[in-house]
Amino acid sequence: MKNNFSINKFLSRLIFVICLIIILGTFFALVKNLFSSEKSSTEQNSPLPIELDSFEIYKKLGKIRTASKDGIPIVISVYFPFEKADTEFYEEISVKNESIKSVISSYFPEYSLEELKRNGENVVKADLLKNINEKLVLNKIDEIYFEEYVFFN
């Protein structure tokens, strides 16, 4: 009986020490992140070669699910910069959000997976940019970026 008591005491102390290490480690990680140099998620993840002070990023299209001509599912997330000062253009793209999504989702069923891969991402972006800009009246989008461009085989 005395042996059981010491093992239980040892195990409970071990659990206490492990919990204490986890709590202290979490605390120090949080403190370190608070006092480290802060960058916004746009600055960290964005490959945009533009001055972000005068531009905003339009990401409200979300994930678009479609398929290639040969039935391969595709998930794509498109975003693009626009000038902050151009509020009328922002209103236009907000109103035409569903239309822009439709342009993107209807592009991919025209091509097989092999054709899309052969054309490459830059050709797809150029085609999408041309098709989207045809829908816009007040201004044009200069560049689009893919946050996600995935084929499911």
Side-chain angles (χ1 to χ4, degrees), residues 61-64 75-79 145-150:
L61 296 171
K63 288 184 180 184
I64 300 168
V75 176
I76 183 167
S77 296
V78 176
Y79 65 95
Y145 299 92
F146 293 158
E147 186 171 51
E148 194 172 15
Y149 183 53
V150 181

Side-chain angles (χ1 to χ4, degrees), residues 69-91:
K69 183 192 283 184
D70 45 359
I72 305 297
I74 301 170
V75 176
I76 183 167
S77 296
V78 176
Y79 65 95
F80 52 86
F82 67 95
E83 288 188 41
K84 281 183 185 178
D86 197 350
T87 56
E88 290 84 13
F89 183 59
Y90 174 76
E91 280 183 31

Side-chain angles (χ1 to χ4, degrees), residues 5-21:
F5 179 70
S6 63
I7 291 174
N8 287 340
K9 195 174 186 180
F10 171 76
L11 290 176
S12 64
R13 286 184 181 168
L14 181 64
I15 291 172
F16 176 76
V17 169
I18 291 172
C19 289
L20 189 63
I21 290 170

Side-chain angles (χ1 to χ4, degrees), residues 41 44 73 84 95 117:
S41 62
Q44 291 173 350
K84 281 183 185 178
V95 167
K117 286 183 177 181

Side-chain angles (χ1 to χ4, degrees), residues 24-40 44:
L24 289 175
T26 304
F27 175 76
F28 286 122
L30 289 174
V31 169
K32 182 181 176 190
N33 284 339
L34 280 175
F35 293 109
S36 67
S37 62
E38 295 180 16
K39 290 184 178 179
S40 74
Q44 291 173 350

